Amino acid sequence: MDKNLQITLPILGMTCANCVATVERSLLKVDGVDIANVNLSSERASISYDPQKANLNGLIAQVKNAGYQVAMGEASILLQGLSDQSDSLRIEKALMSINGVISARVNLAAERVIVTYVPTLISQNDIRQSIRQVGFKVIDEGAEQEDVEFKARQSEIRKQRNFLLISILFTAPLFILSMARDFGILPMTLAHAGWLDWLFFALATPVQFLVGAQYYINGYKSIRNKSANMDVLVALGTTVAYVYSVFVTLGVVPGHGYFETSAVIITLVRLGKYLEAKAKGGAGDAIRKLMNLRPRRAYVIRDGIEVEVAVDEVLIGDIVLVRPGEKLPVDGVVVEGHSSVDESMLTGESLPVEKQPGDTVYGATINKLGFIKFEATKIGKDTALSQIIKLVESAQASKAPIQNLADRISAVFVPVVIAISLVTFLVWFFLVPVPPGSEVTVLTRALINMVAVLVIACPCAMGLATPTAVMVGTGKGAEMGILVKSSESLERSGAIDVVVLDKTGTITRGQPSVSDIVVYDDALSQDDLLQLAASVEAGSEHPLGEAITAEAKARNLDLLPISGFRSKTGKGVMADVEGKKMVIGNRLLLESLTIPLLEIEDDVERLEKGAKTVIYVALDGKAIGIVGIMDTIKEGSLRAVDRLHAMGLKVAMLTGDNIHTAQAIARQVNIERVLANILPGDKASEVKKLQSEGHVVAMVGDGINDAPALTQADVGIAIGTGSDVAIASAPIVLISGDLQSVPTAIALSRKTLKTIKQNLFWAFFYNVILIPAAAMGFLNPMLAAAAMSFSSIFVITNSLRLKKFKAKN
């Protein structure tokens, strides 16, 4: 049994794919860590570790040692009921035992606890609940809960902006004056003034060592960790230009200074990183929108009185009141009232859902019309919305297989670029003569071309190509009620060519009802036959058995006592009724018991051709009747199959029904391939047969009964509801029961995969074309810096186009 803990840490300070590799390598050095996947786009590290060997504080320390930070939040919580120091120690001990809490300090005089925590592991609501469980009261100060991780990243963006403004403040006059001198615009007396170069030095130095300090610090830490990232390239390139210009200013070497080059490069890189950080923030909009859907307050009945409480104070079993227009605070079951609820934020379906006593309701959905009371059944992390957020975050933190190529290249990218830059310098310095009359020296030209190579190279675009597309794609899916649990399944969905649909509950409503009763014993009426069958089927949980029992109840028939109940999986049930042996099931069961069926074949064929499932009823070894059961086709099933065909996909239907009934259903929804008479345990084998024919198969089922087939398929797609999200076995879950979500999910996957390929092509093409161009002297270093910044921004904005994806009707 796997005893490892799975956690996600929000990382600050990463700039490129090499940063990702550095953090991953550093975490994997910790004894007990077996998996460390870092996502550059979401800036999160997904870690699996043995808690007996490693701990959270050690992992955070390792991230810091690698040169990066972990985003942390601080909660200041007012308490009531503290009496002495032992209470303080009890609270601190309880909080420090929670995974995700870094420190907890109780101020006894102020009756307040200050908690530092990791926001991806625990929330302030969880902290408050833990304090209550210890036996102390938390005072609600009415403060809105803040997204701590988002706040930390916004602080990082503001920091980038401030450095950018400082850089522009010094670089703008430096660049203008330098260009004016070079183009002869400045007066001769000013252009040849000795102090002008020192002014350039004064303007360039703060940019180089204040604004550019991050590149030196991060570059040093990167090299210390036996890696090399983009910061190393920027630091090397700008330092070469700056130091050479200092030597020119001091008169040590002849030639032209390039202070403006180093300053402009740093400013352009800073601009690129600022715009990149802003754009990356947009990639996580879907998760933030889901988080912001949660209401802050709730009305509950306590001691017979309606009271308003914070949502995190709602307890399981509380009776919650919701008026028209209000959001439901938690999940529960309606106990009183009728209403219609807008569940579009969960399912993507725009039409409100009618609710009455006994129906399940979900937190963050909107009560449209009536006043309802419901009993809270799931709170906090267990609600459907919290499960959805957790699944989407997990998918965004995972790494798609297509990313492996970019990771392998990024691992050797910077050393290769440095080698190319050195070769560039040597070739231009020793092998390429300077044209007669040129004002540029051999050394200057060689240095400038070397700097251009260092600055143009960009591993950032390669690192962002896949995760940004996955992040936006999975977020968009969540908005549409499509939950993708891993980026691997998102990638594989783009290659599907056959879709296998389970019949019951997928194509049909899964609510069968009795349509025909045919009796072959003159001594029995239809009600007599139904009473016998329902008495036995009352012990069965099969949908067809439930349909027979429901029909008997509708006719007010009393069930007879039975004994010796036995169930044959996929075939039927048997029992003794009033001393007689009853057998109820399909043809396979009766044939296995050698019960003759010839006299009833015509009626069976008639019912099956009408898309009805036939249940055989036998008494003491003789067939005494049949029951026809019909399951209606879901609205939208036909349209969904037609959309799948229009996408070039083959569609097959998988069912335990006989071939006649299955073909009748298939004809109604235009399905060309039917797999009938399939026992539940054989569904996975049928999927495997299709795969052996060379097909990439998607299996669509209810996520529980079809678990083996969903697991066997290349992509398992579970159709369920919000309550099934946490237990569905498939890597893709469609919260809505509408089959039209299947072609939408596949279309979104194809679009996401296409975007990933576009991003990777651009990232590789950019580097393959422009690095040689810089080496051949075709690129000025300042233009190279601008192009480098643009490459990352292009990849991110291309991924953000997925936010405009719309399902076709």
Side-chain angles (χ1 to χ4, degrees), residues 761-807:
F761 171 79
W762 167 260
F764 288 127
F765 175 82
Y766 162 86
N767 283 294
V768 167
I769 296 298
L770 293 187
I771 290 177
M776 289 186 285
F778 295 139
L779 277 178
N780 177 282
M782 289 184 284
L783 292 177
M788 185 268 280
S789 298
F790 173 76
S791 67
S792 296
I793 296 167
F794 172 85
V795 164
I796 296 173
T797 52
N798 189 48
S799 297
L800 289 173
R801 291 191 306 122
L802 285 168
K803 295 172 77 171
K804 297 180 181 179
F805 173 85
K806 291 182 180 179

Side-chain angles (χ1 to χ4, degrees), residues 660-711:
H660 295 300
T661 302
Q663 287 177 339
I665 293 288
R667 282 193 296 272
Q668 294 181 49
V669 291
N670 293 338
I671 291 179
E672 65 270 17
R673 186 165 181 174
V674 177
L675 307 171
N677 291 312
I678 307 300
L679 296 176
D682 295 334
K683 289 183 177 180
S685 298
E686 292 298 323
V687 171
K688 195 171 184 178
K689 285 180 186 177
L690 288 169
Q691 291 171 322
S692 68
E693 296 172 11
H695 295 297
V696 179
V697 181
M699 172 68 196
V700 185
D702 65 10
I704 300 170
N705 297 332
D706 302 311
L710 290 167
T711 303

Side-chain angles (χ1 to χ4, degrees), residues 220-459:
Y220 164 73
K221 290 178 178 178
S222 174
I223 293 171
R224 187 184 65 186
N225 285 284
K226 299 178 181 178
S227 176
N229 60 11
M230 187 206 74
D231 296 313
V232 173
L233 298 179
V234 174
L236 276 176
T238 57
T239 301
V240 167
Y242 177 84
V243 171
Y244 172 74
S245 301
V246 170
F247 286 152
V248 170
T249 302
L250 292 172
V252 176
V253 295
H256 185 287
Y258 286 94
F259 284 120
E260 78 284 356
T261 298
S262 64
V264 169
I265 288 172
I266 289 174
T267 302
L268 287 173
V269 173
R270 275 287 182 190
L271 174 62
K273 287 299 160 190
Y274 171 67
L275 295 176
E276 182 184 310
K278 293 273 286 184
K280 278 199 292 188
D285 282 347
I287 289 292
R288 283 193 293 276
K289 285 179 182 177
L290 287 173
M291 288 180 170
N292 291 334
L293 288 172
R294 293 182 286 208
R296 309 296 184 188
R297 315 291 295 175
Y299 296 94
V300 300
I301 302 295
R302 297 272 171 88
D303 300 323
I305 302 172
E306 178 184 339
V307 295
E308 182 183 7
V309 298
V311 168
D312 62 297
E313 292 183 11
V314 176
L315 306 174
I316 292 177
D318 272 344
I319 300 301
V320 184
L321 289 70
V322 186
R323 295 172 175 80
E326 294 180 344
K327 287 184 178 180
L328 281 71
V330 294
D331 295 2
V333 176
V334 177
V335 296
E336 184 180 323
H338 293 75
S339 184
S340 60
V341 177
D342 179 0
E343 296 182 346
S344 59
M345 47 70 60
L346 278 177
T347 65
E349 298 291 330
S350 57
L351 293 177
V353 180
E354 295 299 318
K355 299 292 182 181
Q356 58 187 358
D359 288 342
T360 302
V361 290
Y362 305 104
T365 57
I366 302 173
N367 183 28
K368 300 292 286 185
L369 296 175
F371 175 83
I372 58 172
K373 294 181 181 179
F374 70 90
E375 180 183 351
T377 57
K378 292 182 179 179
I379 59 175
K381 291 182 177 179
D382 295 326
T383 63
L385 179 63
S386 295
Q387 291 294 327
I388 289 170
I389 292 172
K390 181 180 178 182
L391 286 175
V392 176
E393 287 180 335
S394 176
Q396 293 181 345
S398 65
K399 187 172 288 188
I402 200 170
Q403 175 71 17
N404 293 334
L405 174 62
D407 288 348
R408 286 196 297 270
I409 293 175
S410 297
V412 298
F413 184 84
V414 174
V416 168
V417 169
I418 293 173
I420 293 172
S421 70
L422 290 173
V423 171
T424 299
F425 175 82
L426 294 173
V427 168
W428 283 98
F429 187 80
F430 291 107
L431 301 180
V432 182
V434 174
S438 174
E439 296 181 3
V440 179
T441 66
V442 174
L443 176 61
T444 300
R445 187 187 59 183
L447 284 172
I448 289 301
N449 290 338
M450 182 179 76
V451 170
V453 171
L454 290 170
V455 174
I456 194 66
C458 185

Side-chain angles (χ1 to χ4, degrees), residues 170 174 195-207 242 259:
F170 286 97
L174 170 60
W195 55 267
L196 190 59
D197 284 334
W198 289 104
L199 175 62
F200 291 168
F201 167 79
L203 291 171
T205 300
V207 178
Y242 177 84
F259 284 120

Side-chain angles (χ1 to χ4, degrees), residues 503 513 515-518 520 537 544 548 571-572 584-590 597 600-617 625-631 656-662 677:
K503 179 182 78 74
S513 59
S515 59
D516 299 84
I517 299 175
V518 183
Y520 300 108
E537 290 286 8
L544 299 180
I548 292 174
K571 294 181 179 180
I584 304 168
N586 59 20
R587 176 185 292 272
L588 293 174
L589 179 58
L590 270 70
L597 303 173
I600 64 177
E601 291 293 356
D602 290 343
D603 287 326
V604 170
E605 187 175 348
R606 174 177 57 82
L607 293 179
E608 288 179 347
K609 286 183 177 179
K612 298 170 183 176
T613 300
V614 175
I615 299 298
Y616 297 81
V617 182
I626 56 175
V627 179
I629 298 177
M630 175 176 279
D631 190 2
D657 280 344
N658 62 82
I659 188 64
H660 295 300
T661 302
N677 291 312

Side-chain angles (χ1 to χ4, degrees), residues 53 130 452 542 694:
K53 298 179 180 178
S130 299
H542 194 281

Side-chain angles (χ1 to χ4, degrees), residues 79 101 127 164 217 286 326 338 643 763:
L79 309 175
V101 172
I127 295 170
L164 174 62
I217 295 169
E326 294 180 344
H338 293 75
R643 285 179 59 196

